[in-house]
Every structure is written in structure tokens, then in C-alpha cells.
Amino acid sequence: MAGDEMELNSRKIQILQAIIMNYLETAEPVGSRTISRRFPLGISSATIRNEMSDLEELGFIMQPHTSAGRIPSSKGYRLYVDHLMRTKSISSEQMEILKRILREKRNQLDSLLKEMGDLLADLTRYTAIVTMPQFKKTRLKHLQLIALDHNSVILVIITDGNVVRNNVLQIEQPFSQEDLYRLSEVLNTNLSGLTVEEINLPLIQKIKREMKVDQTMMDGLLDAINETLQFADDVDVFTSGATNILNFPEFADIARARALMEVFEEKEQMLSMVHSSLSGKSPMSITIGTENAMEELQDCSIITAIYHYGKRNIGSISVVGPMRMDYDQVASTLGCLVKDFQQLFSEDKKAETEAKSKSGIAENPPGEPGT
């Protein structure tokens, strides 16, 4: 602890924790008599009242109106999160639901992430926000070109986790489907396993040289493919349980609730909210109240965790709730969810590598050409 926190003795910390626990449950300002009655601290109401005065002077609690009760401030919650929070285990029933979703949707990353957001919103009763994988950071798994008509070709891109993107390319000269199959094969040979942002002009020029078709025809199509890869929309956002947060009395004010809903409805605002809630390289970040840059979110807390595919950060999952959210439970649930997600896809990647290795041995027995 540093600064004002150094002035907190164990008794003040116990009282602060009691205020937070009571306010989390009741959403009502807490007085010294309530703390004395509900929490076995072994001290009188008068002593508690004096300690509360000190806590208020130090900025850890505040008086919302003229009643004798106090509520935690952003600073008080920050102390709690950094030094007092204890993670909880999720129930075996919740764990089984989580694992079932992960197993059933393991080959459909976008669908899996949406279900994870729904589950998280249901378990926490807050709002869940999932940023889908950044397309340019995903690895190309397969690419297919399909003739649509004389002037159009459908480009189907599948990246790791089976995220699928489709785009219609306009071409000046028609390609036969046979030529498109051959080009797809060359593209897959050269580009498979690369992240989209690793695909560059020299690679595209190399592919042009390998194709045995008219180079003028190739220019337009390959340029269109390159442009699609480079300028594809990077991030999509999925929100689940947006109205859950309105069930809390803190958001009974219509103007405040409307401003918050407008944030949830705007993709760019949500992305800004998520990015600003992330801090450094920490796998999980918590921003509380006035720590949020957006004014509409200064009555909220946001817990955000990064999820991985292999060793790459490809997206995030956030929970937005009132400042008096159950930090212990949310952090535990979110941490468990991200950990199981990573483990699931690590197992997938290991199995895929082993399968390729076995396939290579079978195709090239010792002594045969290609060894």
C-alpha cells in the first residue's frame, strides 16, 4: 500500500470491507450501528463512527446525502480490489455448463464467443461485452475462390478457430472455375498459417509468377484479394444482457440509464470503452467509477480479460456493472472462462499438429521419395 493507504490500520480496513459488503448487498448507505450489529468487529458504534470519519477524510468512503450513512468511493473500491478481494470458485453446475458450451462450439469461434457472452451475462446478472477476434491477427486456415458470374468472384476466407469471412470481388475479365481452383490452391500453399497482417505485396507478386495464366488477368483479381485482406473490418463487438444493468437502483434515473444504453448501442464507443479499460499486459483489468474515461461509465465498473489463441491475444471479454458489483465473483467467473477457453484451443492446436505429423509420416515412409 502507498500514500493514504499507509494510514489505514487493520481496524479501518475491516470497517471499509464491512461497508463494501453491506452496500453490495443492500445498495443503501451504511451507518455505524448497522456495522456494529451485522459484523462482529468487537468495537463500539462510537469507535466505528470515529473510524468512518477518518475513512471519509481519506477519501475511501463518502456521504451521498445528509443521512448518517456512508458508501464506498471509487478509491475505496480500488483498495478493496487491489488488496482485499478474494476470488471465489464457481459452482460445479456452472462449470459443467461452461465446459459443455466450449465443447459443442469449439469449431465455431464466433458462435462460441457469443454463447460465452450470453452465459457470462446470465451468471453475473451484469452486461457482458465480447470483442471478436481481430481479423488481421488471425491465421489463414483456408481460402476459396468461387465464380459468381462473369464479373464477380466470391472470396471465402477461413481463419483459425473456423472464423469465416465472405466477400464479393469485382473482376474485369471472367475466370473459369478451374482457374479459380488452381489459384485457390496456390494461395493456400503460400498463405496458409500466416496472419492476415503478414500477407504483403512481395508474397502476392510471387503468387502471380507461379500462376500459368495471363498475368494481366491475374493483376486485378490478386489486387482485389490483397485489398480485401488488408482492409477487412478488424474488430466486431457482441453485447449480451445490455439491460441487466438497469435492474440496479443506481440506474433508476432515466437520463443516466439512457446515456449508458447509447454507449452499448454504438460499436465505436464500446471498443473505446474496452480498450481504455485494459491496462498494460495484465491478463485481467478492473476500472472503477471515475477511473473510466467516458462520463457515461463513471457510475460503473468494468472487468476485462484477454482471451488467447495459441500465444496470441485475439480479443477480450468484459463485464460491466455498477460500482458495487460483486468483484470477487465476476473476476473468478471471467478468469475461469478465459482459462478454459485457452486450454480448449491449446488442446485443439496440439491435436491438429499431431495429426499433421502422423499424416506426413504416412505419406513419406522411410526410403520413399520426399524424405
Side-chain angles (χ1 to χ4, degrees), residues 363-365 367-371:
E363 291 172 5
N364 298 306
E368 293 294 324
T371 59

Side-chain angles (χ1 to χ4, degrees), residues 240-256:
S240 183
T243 59
N244 283 356
I245 202 167
L246 302 183
N247 294 326
F248 294 92
E250 291 92 328
F251 300 96
D253 179 83
I254 294 176
R256 181 184 295 180

Side-chain angles (χ1 to χ4, degrees), residues 184-319:
S184 297
E185 186 176 343
V186 173
L187 287 168
N188 284 312
T189 300
N190 285 275
L191 306 181
S192 181
L194 297 176
T195 64
V196 174
E197 63 187 358
E198 289 172 341
I199 298 170
N200 51 33
L201 191 58
L203 265 178
I204 297 296
Q205 296 294 340
K206 177 176 180 284
I207 293 169
K208 287 181 183 180
R209 292 192 297 271
E210 289 188 15
M211 286 301 297
K212 309 295 188 203
V213 296
D214 184 280
Q215 293 298 301
T216 306
M217 289 175 62
M218 289 295 300
D219 284 346
L221 181 56
L222 286 173
D223 287 346
I225 292 171
N226 186 47
E227 186 174 348
T228 297
L229 292 172
Q230 299 308 320
F231 295 98
D233 187 18
D234 244 356
V235 185
D236 204 358
V237 189
F238 173 75
T239 305
S240 183
T243 59
N244 283 356
I245 202 167
L246 302 183
N247 294 326
F248 294 92
E250 291 92 328
F251 300 96
D253 179 83
I254 294 176
R256 181 184 295 180
R258 183 185 294 117
L260 188 58
M261 289 300 102
E262 287 174 357
V263 172
F264 291 155
E265 289 170 4
E266 291 292 332
K267 174 183 171 180
E268 294 305 320
Q269 290 203 68
M270 283 200 294
L271 286 174
S272 174
M273 175 193 73
V274 170
H275 291 157
S276 64
S277 71
L278 293 170
S279 59
K281 296 182 179 179
S282 173
M284 184 179 294
S285 299
I286 301 176
T287 56
I288 301 168
T290 54
E291 295 172 0
N292 290 301
M294 297 176 65
E295 184 179 348
E296 298 89 341
L297 295 164
Q298 293 189 352
D299 293 315
C300 302
S301 287
I302 306 169
I303 303 183
T304 299
I306 298 293
Y307 64 86
H308 302 77
Y309 188 98
K311 294 183 178 179
R312 290 171 292 126
N313 301 346
I314 61 172
S316 64
I317 305 176
S318 304
V319 174

Side-chain angles (χ1 to χ4, degrees), residues 38 49 84 86-87 114 117 155 187 196 242 251-252 262 296 347 370:
R38 292 199 59 189
R49 193 158 48 250
L84 305 176
R86 296 289 182 268
T87 55
K114 288 179 180 179
L155 171 64
L187 287 168
V196 174
F251 300 96
E262 287 174 357
E296 298 89 341
E347 290 170 359

Side-chain angles (χ1 to χ4, degrees), residues 122-136:
D122 185 54
L123 292 178
T124 63
R125 303 299 180 189
Y126 303 129
T127 299
I129 297 173
V130 179
T131 63
M132 298 302 178
Q134 294 185 32
F135 183 63
K136 289 184 180 179

Side-chain angles (χ1 to χ4, degrees), residues 160-171:
D160 47 10
N162 288 345
V163 175
V164 180
R165 293 288 179 92
N166 300 310
N167 198 46
V168 176
L169 310 180
Q170 300 301 317
I171 55 176

Side-chain angles (χ1 to χ4, degrees), residues 9-16 18 32-52:
N9 55 32
S10 60
R11 189 161 66 190
K12 284 186 174 65
I13 290 173
Q14 283 182 308
I15 292 171
L16 176 61
S32 56
R33 289 185 181 179
T34 300
I35 293 175
S36 176
R37 187 173 64 253
R38 292 199 59 189
F39 299 92
L41 301 180
I43 52 179
S44 67
S45 294
T47 302
I48 294 172
R49 193 158 48 250
N50 290 335
E51 297 286 20
M52 287 175 69

